[in-house]
């Protein structure tokens, strides 16, 4: 494998969980919920996949349990912010803290491990291509990475070509219109949060039993927050959000490659910063445009 | 009456979280008596325990005092983490690079830390107030940028040459500049903390700026009709938030850490927000809440000695408090 | 003639407010029916009951002779009735085709749909209605009259027999109103029954076949053919008998002086948040007079108050206080100069509900309580607040209690205490007695009268003609952001009503 192949693989591996979490998070943000619990949901999904996978010996059972756990946590979050009217940002950060603590706690209580544990199952890699040559890297990708484009397409269809998508957008953009059109806003928010939870479970599974096999404390390491940045960066469109996630992964891979090969002395941190700086610029411009529209 | 309502609304989620966490620990087979005794010993009664509680309450208290101003002005500044790191960066740069007598360099380093924190917070403040960009996103992004920037400084320009490889820390600052020793707390720091809390209280409760800031946060429209300069006060709230977070960063550098470390306290900014909310955005409440969370942190470091309860138990507790603390329904029910 | 819509004994209360009092109404098919009334008369409320958006406490509803359960929009739609609200249901961030597919009871596609198909189906519908527009256009980029005609297509897509339009002309330009009316006539000729909520007499006379009038929640005119009525009949019925029995009526209102305190000269201001701006407003406020501002709500009263207080900058023209231009004066500077305002909404603009009484009254002048450097004495602020509140007869326990602990009347007293103390040259009071009981209302009038006797000029914005007639020296009528006339005593309800609705 040459450098370019390796670089492509690293980019795809680094970006898969971010893309999945970002596209999942898009549903909540579209429904008007700035969901800072995504980080925690991914982590919970990662742990559940490793724990259930290891216990049952099947990676698929791991995936299913991860999905179940994330859906339950999403309902909990919905109850707190929609029924109990808690602040979505604070409760989201709280959900993340709960998952950071809860996964580490569960790991120790159930498996007696501190810090990290290995997984006995891994996601299959559907393509077993040649180990050498231009396309050698395809055999390095998990089934979830392969499925990611399909999931993005599905997300796009739901958001742009389904009644639910229109309802989610209306609830987020223009609650008055949703109410006037007889939409049950609470239920739409619940559906959006459940979709987010579902996607975070897949993202977490990929993270823990995809390219590495194991769980470590706080292993998401901010990816959930990066995913939110990708949503804003991608301007609320499923495809652009996914591309933004890819860009985050690219920046990550670029940073790694620079550490290994670069002699120019440009610090990798600045490469990694680029997506965040761009997000700030984009958010500021869109805020300014909105403000101008509002006053004129 | 109003005060009782609000106090209950803050205390109830804390108690609920303790009960839920205790139930969880009991269900998973931990001896609650042993854990409780361990927490009390680790936070209060043990040798050096209270000192350790104060050490961990310090950064929480300072950042929370800053967050208090932001929340009072109804600005959701969640950038305490980044403001603290950038403050620490300014402080360590002066402490390492500026030659001179300690009596001059030390205050200069602290002031630089405060200035850096302030500037780092004013940036999102200006972008929010001038251009209407969402401050939650801005401050979140700036937290990541701060972490990466500090990571670059500690592995690049200000890297500790004594450590080989990818060390993520600056060299130690001169002993003469330190405000505390290895145990993290000193009488000098404690006195400065008390002064900081008093100053924050005076600004918040006894100046025109503080009174009008709260008025803006509670009743922005009424404030406008009364000729109060809403934008200016909101901007000041950002400056004060950054100032106190920067001070926290400076104290960490010159106090317990003695150097700038990357990723030393990754979620302290978030805990500080919870401290502010539990403390009802009032200085005395925040002092209590900071001591509570500082004590829990101290207990967590102590617990492994007496019990095998994992330190992650604390995060669970913190998470439950944060999830519940803003829930209005519970508030109302509690308040009757 | 068949009956398109019948409601019987409809009664609606919002808390203490009796919004609809046993209204029974029968509207025939194939006609344009106007519902007319002043603000708060209940015309939008009855429209919301008819469309199932609002559940009445009592009453029955029949649509196209079929009884329907009240309070169910879905049932009303199924029976053939739809409504175009004053505020549009189509989300402005959506494309036209998406918005229609979302908001209409009629769906062109399935749960998952092909956008090409729904777009072309909606484009065809729009074309049928004479609207030639790309279904991919974004609603926010379209002019308001286009959005409104799309709303009508949306409401009729489900083959509605009865269409209600709530204040459809409120945001339209005169030529757009003509287009809308032509469109409505076409619809009527195709057999659709239209119920149009209006408040302008001229429009009623022009478009409606029948008119029904509501006043203070009661139906005061059964559906009557407009051909049998004169503009004067209608405006009289709408305004009702004005009993100028306000307790403080000036025996013989005379202008105390001709000194001008505050003057607006050719002021224009921008439309803000859907509220119409000022259009070429000029007037003079004299020392020692109460100048009333009458007009149907939403005709520039808010803009007048905001420009006066300094919250909105005029785009053209200028206002002055005692001859000095206020162009460069901040709100705070205006207040120091003696320009005060009692805002419309006492719960959000007048006072902070979650802020203590002393903060509500003293924070804006916190500077005056400085002791050491920037440190202020809050103890002095509290005692001063207590003195102030006492002198205005506010009933309270302690100045540290929150604003929300006061009743409406007490809160208004506290606001007046703040606004009418110190240098007071010109005061604007916006709806200061709305929702208050008799005693508090009386108190507000007394206080306004007091500052007037002290030589200040008072502007009183009110939709209560009794109030205006009782305490005003002159009454200015606003319509469409402009001054429609300034009246002097003896005031006549007919004259004011005519100016308000533009019948002159």
């Amino acid at each position: 494998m040459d450098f370019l192949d390796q670089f492509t693989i690293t980019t795809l591996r680094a970006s898969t969980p971010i893309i999945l979490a970002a596209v999942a998070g898009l549903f909540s943000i579209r429904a008007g919920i700035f969901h800072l619990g995504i980080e925690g949901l991914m982590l919970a999904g990662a742990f559940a996949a490793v724990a259930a996978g290891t216990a049952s010996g099947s990676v698929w059972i791991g995936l299913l349990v991860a999905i179940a756990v994330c859906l339950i946590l999403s309902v909990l979050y919905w109850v707190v912010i929609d029924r109990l009217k808690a602040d979505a940002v604070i409760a989201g950060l709280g959900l993340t803290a709960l998952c950071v603590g809860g996964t580490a706690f569960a790991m120790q209580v159930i498996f007696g491990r501190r810090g990290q544990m290995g997984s006995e199952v891994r996601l299959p890699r559907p393509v077993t291509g040649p180990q050498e040559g231009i396309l050698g890297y395809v055999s390095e990708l998990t089934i979830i990475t392969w499925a990611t484009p399909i999931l993005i397409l599905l997300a796009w269809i739901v958001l742009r070509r389904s009644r639910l998508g229109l309802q989610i957008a209306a609830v987020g953009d223009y609650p008055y219109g949703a109410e006037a059109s007889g939409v049950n806003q609470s239920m739409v928010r619940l559906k959006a949060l459940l979709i987010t939870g579902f996607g975070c479970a897949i993202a977490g599974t990929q993270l823990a039993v995809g390219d590495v096999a194991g769980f470590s404390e706080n292993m998401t390491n901010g990816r959930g927050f990066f995913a939110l940045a990708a949503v804003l960066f991608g301007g609320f469109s499923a495809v652009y959000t996914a591309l933004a996630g890819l860009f985050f992964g690219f920046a990550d891979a670029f940073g790694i490659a620079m550490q290994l090969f670069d002699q120019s002395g440009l610090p990798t941190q600045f490469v990694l910063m680029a997506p965040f700086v761009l997000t700030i610029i984009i958010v500021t411009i869109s805020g300014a445009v909105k403000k101008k529209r509002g006053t004129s | 009456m109003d005060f009782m309502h609000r106090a209950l609304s803050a205390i109830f989620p804390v108690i609920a979280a303790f009960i839920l966490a205790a139930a969880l620990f009991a269900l998973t087979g931990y001896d609650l008596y042993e854990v409780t005794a361990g927490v009390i010993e680790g936070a209060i009664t043990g040798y050096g325990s209270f000192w350790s509680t104060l050490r961990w309450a310090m950064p929480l208290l300072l950042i929370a005092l800053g967050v208090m101003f932001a929340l009072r002005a109804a600005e959701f500044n969640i950038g305490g983490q980044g403001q603290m790191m950038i403050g620490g960066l300014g402080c360590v740069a002066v402490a390492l690079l500026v030659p001179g007598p300690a009596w001059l360099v030390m205050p200069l380093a602290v002031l630089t830390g405060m200035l850096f924190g302030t500037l780092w917070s004013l940036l999102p403040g200006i972008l929010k107030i001038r251009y209407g960009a969402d401050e939650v996103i801005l401050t979140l992004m700036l937290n990541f940028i701060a972490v990466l920037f500090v990571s670059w400084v500690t592995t690049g320009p200000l890297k500790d040459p004594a450590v080989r490889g990818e060390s993520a820390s600056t060299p130690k600052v001169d002993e003469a500049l330190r405000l505390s020793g290895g145990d993290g707390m000193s009488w000098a720091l404690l006195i400065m903390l008390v002064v900081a809390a008093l100053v924050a209280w005076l600004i918040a409760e006894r100046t025109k700026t503080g009174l009008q800031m709260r008025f803006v946060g509670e009743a922005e429209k009424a404030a406008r009709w009364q000729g109060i300069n809403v934008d200016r006060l909101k901007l000041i709230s950002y400056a004060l938030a950054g100032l106190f977070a920067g001070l926290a960063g400076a104290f960490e550098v010159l106090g317990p850490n003695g150097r700038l470390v990357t990723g030393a306290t990754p979620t302290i900014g978030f805990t500080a927000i919870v401290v502010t909310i539990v403390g009802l955005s009032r200085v005395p409440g925040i002092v209590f809440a900071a001591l509570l969370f500082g004590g829990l942190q101290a207990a967590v470091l102590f617990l492994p000695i007496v019990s095998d309860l994992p330190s992650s138990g604390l995060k669970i507790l913190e998470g439950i408090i944060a999830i519940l603390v803003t829930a209005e329904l519970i508030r109302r029910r509690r308040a009757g | 003639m068949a009956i398109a819509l019948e409601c019987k004994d409809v009664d609606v209360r919002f808390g203490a407010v009796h919004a609809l009092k046993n209204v029974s109404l029968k509207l025939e098919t194939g006609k344009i029916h106007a519902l007319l009334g002043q603000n708060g008369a209940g015309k939008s409320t009855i429209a919301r009951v008819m469309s199932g958006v609002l559940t009445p406490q009592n009453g029955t509803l029949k649509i196209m002779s079929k009884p329907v359960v009240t309070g169910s929009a879905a049932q009303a739609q199924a029976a053939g009735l739809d409504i175009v609200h004053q505020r549009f249901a189509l989300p402005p961030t959506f494309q036209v085709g998406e918005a229609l597919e979302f908001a209409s009871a009629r769906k062109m596609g399935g749960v998952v749909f092909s956008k090409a198909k729904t777009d072309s189906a909606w484009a065809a519908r729009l074309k049928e209605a004479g609207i030639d527009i790309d279904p991919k256009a974004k609603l926010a980029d379209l002019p308001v009259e286009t959005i409104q005609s799309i709303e009508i297509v949306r409401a009729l897509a489900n083959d509605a027999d009865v269409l209600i339009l709530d204040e459809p002309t409120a945001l339209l330009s005169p030529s757009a109103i003509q287009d809308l009316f032509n469109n409505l006539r076409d619809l009527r000729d195709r057999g659709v029954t239209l119920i149009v909520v209006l408040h302008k007499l001229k429009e009623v006379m022009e478009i409606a076949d029948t008119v029904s009038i509501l006043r203070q929640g009661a139906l005061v005119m059964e559906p009557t053919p407009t051909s049998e009525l004169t503009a004067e009949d209608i405006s009289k019925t709408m305004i009702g008998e004005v009993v100028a029995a306000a307790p403080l009526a000036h025996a013989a209102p005379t202008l105390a002086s001709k000194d001008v305190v505050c003057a607006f000269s050719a002021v224009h201001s921008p439309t803000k948040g859907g509220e119409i701006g000022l259009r070429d407003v000029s007037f003079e406020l004299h020392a020692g007079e109460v100048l009333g501002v009458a007009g149907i709500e939403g005709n520039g009263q808010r803009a007048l108050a905001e420009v006066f207080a300094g919250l909105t900058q005029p785009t053209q023209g200028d206002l002055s206080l005692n001859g000095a231009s206020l162009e460069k004066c901040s709100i705070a500077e205006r207040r120091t100069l003696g320009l005060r305002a009692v805002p419309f909404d006492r719960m959000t603009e007048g006072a902070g509900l979650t802020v203590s009484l002393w903060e509500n009254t003293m924070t804006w002048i916190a500077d005056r309580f400085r002791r050491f450097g920037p440190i202020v004495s809050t103890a002095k602020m509290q005692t001063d607040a207590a003195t102030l509140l006492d002198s205005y007869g506010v009933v309270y326990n302690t100045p540290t209690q929150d604003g929300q602990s006061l009743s409406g009347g007490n809160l208004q007293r506290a606001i007046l205490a703040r606004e009418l103390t110190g240098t007071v040259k010109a005061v604007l009071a916006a709806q200061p007695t709305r929702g208050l009981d008799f005693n508090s209302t009386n108190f507000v009038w007394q206080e306004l009268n007091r500052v007037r006797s002290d030589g200040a000029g008072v502007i009183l914005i009110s939709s209560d003609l009794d109030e205006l007639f009782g305490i005003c020296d002159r009454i200015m009528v606003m319509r469409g952001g402009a001054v429609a006339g300034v009246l002097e005593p003896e005031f006549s309800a007919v004259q004011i009503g005519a100016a308000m609705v533009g019948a002159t």
Side-chain angles (χ1 to χ4, degrees):
Chain A
M1 260 192 296
D2 65 4
F3 170 77
L4 197 64
D5 290 345
Q6 192 58 51
F7 185 74
T8 311
I9 292 173
T10 315
T11 299
L12 290 175
R13 282 180 168 178
S15 51
T16 302
I18 298 179
I19 292 174
L20 288 170
V23 172
L26 176 59
F27 284 83
S28 292
I29 292 194
R30 209 69 192 86
I33 303 159
F34 198 69
H35 193 339
L36 290 172
I38 288 177
E39 169 84 0
L41 288 175
M42 258 172 106
L43 194 63
F47 175 73
V50 170
T54 301
S56 67
S58 157
V59 72
W60 303 116
I61 289 181
L63 178 62
L64 284 178
V65 172
I67 290 170
V69 166
C70 286
L71 293 184
I72 291 168
L73 288 170
S74 296
V75 173
L76 174 84
Y77 181 59
W78 173 78
V79 168
V80 173
I81 64 166
D82 199 275
R83 305 278 91 182
L84 303 182
K85 304 287 174 220
D87 183 274
V89 170
I90 297 282
L93 286 168
L95 179 63
T96 292
L98 179 69
C99 293
V100 170
T103 51
F105 185 80
M107 179 162 61
Q108 188 165 346
V109 169
I110 302 170
F111 298 98
R113 300 290 197 112
R114 272 173 200 262
Q116 56 187 50
M117 63 181 283
S119 169
E120 283 167 20
V121 294
R122 288 185 81 167
L123 285 168
R125 297 176 175 186
V127 180
T128 42
Q131 293 302 304
E132 311 254 331
I134 281 178
L135 287 174
Y137 60 84
V138 295
S139 61
E140 296 278 325
L141 302 175
T142 70
I143 188 159
I144 287 182
T145 300
W146 284 106
T148 298
I150 299 166
L151 292 171
I152 296 168
L153 180 69
L154 273 177
W156 180 85
I157 289 172
V158 173
L159 281 170
R160 301 303 306 274
R161 295 288 183 270
S162 83
R163 272 184 211 167
L164 178 62
L166 293 177
Q167 288 174 353
I168 288 175
V171 167
D173 287 354
Y174 192 55
Y176 171 82
E179 195 194 327
S181 309
V183 171
N184 184 340
Q185 301 194 52
S186 260
M187 289 322 283
V188 171
R189 274 192 283 268
L190 175 61
K191 286 175 194 167
L193 287 173
L194 286 175
I195 294 173
T196 300
F198 176 81
C200 287
I202 298 178
T205 305
Q206 161 72 14
L207 196 64
V209 295
D211 301 314
V212 296
F215 177 82
S216 56
E217 267 182 43
N218 202 14
M219 76 182 297
T220 44
N221 202 14
R223 284 183 181 84
F225 299 128
F226 304 167
L228 283 180
V231 173
L232 303 165
F233 192 46
F236 291 4
S237 129
V239 175
Y240 289 127
T241 294
L243 287 175
L246 191 64
F247 178 60
F248 273 73
F250 173 79
D252 210 4
F254 200 78
I256 294 168
M258 272 177 55
Q259 272 170 343
L260 295 176
F261 305 108
D262 183 61
Q263 304 296 322
S264 71
L266 179 73
T268 54
Q269 286 92 348
F270 288 92
V271 176
L272 297 177
M273 248 180 239
F276 303 122
V277 175
L278 286 171
T279 305
I280 287 181
I281 292 171
I282 284 172
V283 167
T284 304
I285 291 172
S286 73
V289 169
K290 247 184 233 158
K291 198 171 175 178
K292 211 170 178 189
R293 266 219 181 124
T295 51
S296 67
Chain B
M1 196 59 176
D2 282 333
F3 175 76
M4 282 304 288
H5 282 184
R6 272 180 275 151
L8 275 176
S9 76
I11 292 167
F12 175 71
V14 175
I15 293 172
F18 271 97
I19 293 172
L20 285 171
L24 176 70
F25 301 156
L27 281 174
T28 46
Y30 291 95
D31 182 347
L32 278 186
Y33 174 78
E34 193 183 275
V35 171
T36 312
V39 167
I40 291 172
E41 193 180 351
I44 307 167
T45 56
Y47 176 75
S49 286
F50 195 63
W51 214 229
S52 169
T53 291
L54 288 175
R55 182 263 170 273
W56 292 108
M58 173 177 80
L60 289 175
L61 172 67
L62 290 173
I63 301 175
L65 289 174
V67 174
M68 171 184 79
F69 289 106
L71 288 187
R72 280 182 170 222
E75 289 297 298
F76 233 108
N77 183 342
I78 62 168
Q81 184 79 47
Q83 290 147 24
M84 170 178 155
M85 297 191 80
I86 296 296
L89 176 68
C91 174
V92 86
V94 171
L96 291 175
L97 303 176
V98 176
W103 60 265
L104 186 67
V105 175
M106 190 202 287
L108 189 67
V110 172
L111 287 175
T112 311
M114 290 159 80
L115 177 71
F116 272 47
T118 305
L119 293 175
W120 196 253
S121 180
L122 276 175
L123 177 64
I126 291 166
L127 294 181
K128 159 78 189 285
I129 290 157
R130 184 109 175 69
Y131 301 107
D134 187 295
E135 79 270 25
V136 175
I137 298 156
L138 291 176
T139 48
L140 188 66
M141 293 301 109
L142 284 166
N143 281 348
F144 291 120
I145 294 173
V147 169
L148 287 166
F149 194 74
V150 166
S151 154
W152 168 64
V153 171
T154 52
T155 53
L158 289 179
K159 182 175 186 270
D160 186 355
V163 184
R164 289 182 177 279
E166 289 292 316
S167 151
S169 138
T170 64
K172 285 236 170 201
V173 302
D174 194 292
E175 276 303 317
L177 297 173
R178 294 286 298 274
L179 290 165
S180 75
D183 61 349
M185 205 13 90
S186 67
W187 286 105
L189 265 183
L190 191 58
I191 289 166
M192 281 194 275
L193 278 187
V194 173
V195 170
L198 277 175
V199 168
W201 180 82
L202 276 175
I203 296 174
E205 308 281 358
R206 289 291 182 273
T207 64
K208 175 185 157 192
T209 306
L211 294 173
Q212 294 195 342
M213 192 182 289
R214 201 174 98 81
F215 200 80
V216 164
E218 295 284 340
E220 186 173 326
K221 281 185 185 169
R224 276 190 206 281
W225 278 89
Q226 288 175 45
I228 294 171
N229 192 332
V230 172
D231 288 354
R232 183 174 153 268
L233 285 158
K234 291 203 164 206
L235 206 57
I236 293 175
S237 84
Y238 278 93
L240 286 170
L243 185 100
F244 278 91
L247 184 63
F251 280 2
E252 285 289 303
V253 164
L254 299 185
N257 290 339
R259 55 169 83 187
L260 184 64
V261 190
T262 307
T265 42
T267 59
I268 199 163
F270 162 63
T271 311
I273 295 171
V274 179
V275 165
T276 315
I277 296 175
V278 171
L280 297 170
S281 295
R282 299 254 178 200
V283 174
I286 289 172
V287 170
F288 275 114
L291 284 172
L292 173 72
F293 281 87
L296 287 170
Q297 180 66 42
V300 158
L301 296 173
F302 176 81
L303 265 185
I305 304 171
V306 294
S307 161
D308 55 350
L309 184 78
S311 61
S312 45
L314 172 71
K315 269 265 162 285
I316 296 181
L317 194 65
E318 214 177 281
I320 300 174
I321 294 176
I323 289 173
L324 293 179
V325 76
T326 57
E328 266 177 35
L329 200 74
I330 293 176
R331 258 188 209 180
R332 255 185 239 133
R333 216 175 262 163
R334 281 283 94 190
Chain C
M1 258 295 188
I3 302 298
L5 188 135
E6 181 180 355
C7 47
K8 225 178 194 170
D9 303 326
V10 171
D11 213 66
V12 174
R13 287 170 193 271
F14 300 115
V17 181
H18 203 167
L20 284 179
K21 299 168 185 159
N22 271 329
V23 174
S24 298
L25 195 62
K26 270 188 197 177
L27 298 169
E28 291 174 355
T29 51
K31 286 193 170 154
I32 298 178
H33 302 281
L35 288 177
L36 188 68
Q38 291 206 74
N39 263 89
K43 50 195 193 312
S44 283
T45 311
I46 188 89
R48 287 169 65 207
V49 170
M50 290 169 173
S51 61
V53 181
L54 184 76
T55 317
Q57 270 78 6
N58 189 28
T60 57
L61 189 62
K62 272 188 194 172
I63 295 167
M64 300 307 285
S65 307
K66 275 174 290 191
V68 294
V69 175
T70 53
S72 159
Q75 279 226 13
Q77 278 172 348
L81 180 143
D82 218 317
I83 181 165
V84 174
H85 294 281
Q86 194 176 355
R87 203 175 154 197
F88 299 138
L90 302 173
T93 51
F94 281 30
Q95 295 176 4
V96 172
E98 289 172 339
L100 284 166
E101 181 70 13
F102 163 72
S104 177
R106 171 70 166 259
K107 305 291 179 197
M108 299 298 181
V111 175
V112 175
F113 52 80
S114 144
K115 186 142 174 297
K117 229 175 90 185
T118 54
D119 271 358
S120 67
W122 282 113
R125 283 272 172 166
L126 289 165
K127 208 157 206 171
E128 267 173 47
I131 309 164
D132 193 11
I133 198 164
D134 179 5
K136 289 189 177 59
K138 206 172 157 193
L139 272 160
D141 299 333
L142 300 175
V144 62
E145 56 267 24
T146 313
I147 301 178
Q148 188 169 59
S149 43
I150 299 171
E151 279 278 354
I152 294 174
V153 171
R154 191 266 307 158
L156 290 174
N158 207 26
D159 301 325
D161 301 306
V162 187
L163 179 63
I164 303 175
L165 295 108
D166 189 3
E167 308 253 6
T169 57
L171 297 170
L172 300 187
S173 67
S175 68
I177 291 176
Q178 286 314 313
D179 293 341
L180 171 74
F181 286 174
N182 290 334
N183 188 2
L184 296 185
R185 285 186 199 105
D186 282 352
L187 290 172
R188 174 191 58 193
D189 297 344
R190 292 205 316 239
V192 179
T193 309
L194 293 141
I195 302 167
V196 191
V197 175
L198 290 169
H199 59 233
K200 288 197 183 117
L201 194 50
K202 197 170 121 242
E203 293 169 3
V204 172
M205 297 306 277
E206 189 182 339
I207 183 74
D209 299 316
T210 84
V211 57
S212 314
I213 300 178
L214 287 153
R215 192 172 69 223
Q216 291 172 348
L219 188 73
V220 290
M221 186 187 278
E222 300 272 342
T224 314
T226 38
S227 51
E228 296 170 12
L229 293 165
T230 65
E232 205 186 318
D233 296 336
I234 296 179
S235 76
K236 238 186 202 163
T237 319
M238 188 172 121
I239 308 272
E241 289 302 311
V242 176
V243 210
L248 283 169
H250 315 306
T254 48
L255 294 185
S257 93
K258 284 284 179 193
D259 296 342
V260 175
V261 199
C262 176
F264 275 57
S265 49
V267 173
H268 290 254
S269 78
T271 301
K272 235 168 106 178
E275 293 272 354
I276 196 165
L278 296 182
R279 287 182 204 158
D280 198 22
V281 168
S282 298
F283 68 89
E284 290 178 341
L285 175 68
H286 300 115
E289 78 160 335
V290 177
L291 173 65
V293 176
I296 291 172
E297 241 167 85
N299 274 271
Q301 292 95 324
R302 173 165 281 277
L304 178 75
E306 292 198 352
V307 167
F308 177 87
L311 274 81
T312 304
Q313 289 303 316
T315 44
Q316 277 177 53
D318 190 23
L319 65 155
S320 62
L321 185 71
N322 288 332
S325 166
L326 292 171
E327 197 187 336
K328 293 205 169 63
C329 277
S330 69
I331 304 170
E333 284 162 347
R334 287 174 196 228
R335 292 175 65 80
T336 333
L337 289 172
L339 209 81
R340 301 297 183 80
V342 178
F344 290 89
D345 185 351
R346 57 183 159 266
M347 317 257 255
T348 62
E349 297 167 326
L353 292 186
T354 53
V355 187
S356 69
L357 297 180
W358 68 268
E359 285 170 292
N360 263 313
T361 45
M362 295 291 152
T363 304
W364 73 283
I365 44 168
D367 261 339
R368 293 184 202 166
F369 297 88
R370 286 197 177 189
R371 287 298 170 271
F372 316 100
I375 307 298
V376 299
S377 164
T378 52
K380 180 88 168 87
M381 288 171 90
Q382 292 182 19
T383 52
D384 278 23
T387 314
L388 180 68
L389 295 171
D390 287 341
S391 69
Y392 275 76
V394 180
V395 181
Y396 68 101
N397 294 322
T398 150
T400 56
Q401 76 193 68
D402 279 354
Q404 61 196 350
S405 61
L406 294 189
S407 68
N410 263 316
L411 190 62
Q412 191 69 310
R413 278 173 194 245
I415 294 166
L416 285 176
R418 183 185 69 219
E419 295 303 322
L420 303 184
T421 306
T423 316
V424 181
K425 297 269 171 55
V427 183
L428 180 143
Q431 308 282 14
T433 60
R434 173 167 281 180
L436 298 189
D437 61 20
F438 181 74
N439 279 332
S440 304
T441 302
N442 239 328
F443 181 80
V444 172
W445 288 341
Q446 263 173 33
E447 283 306 310
L448 293 179
N449 204 32
R450 179 181 63 76
V451 292
R452 162 185 176 274
S453 323
D454 292 349
V458 178
I459 299 175
L460 173 64
I461 297 177
S462 176
S463 42
D464 180 351
L465 287 187
D466 290 350
E467 173 172 75
L468 291 172
F469 283 18
I471 69 169
C472 293
D473 299 293
R474 290 187 301 156
I475 296 176
M476 177 167 95
V477 182
M478 292 194 75
R479 192 176 72 240
V483 177
V486 178
L487 310 173
E488 310 226 344
E490 298 291 320
F491 302 123
S492 119
V494 176
Q495 207 184 349
I496 288 200
M500 276 162 70
V501 293
T504 44

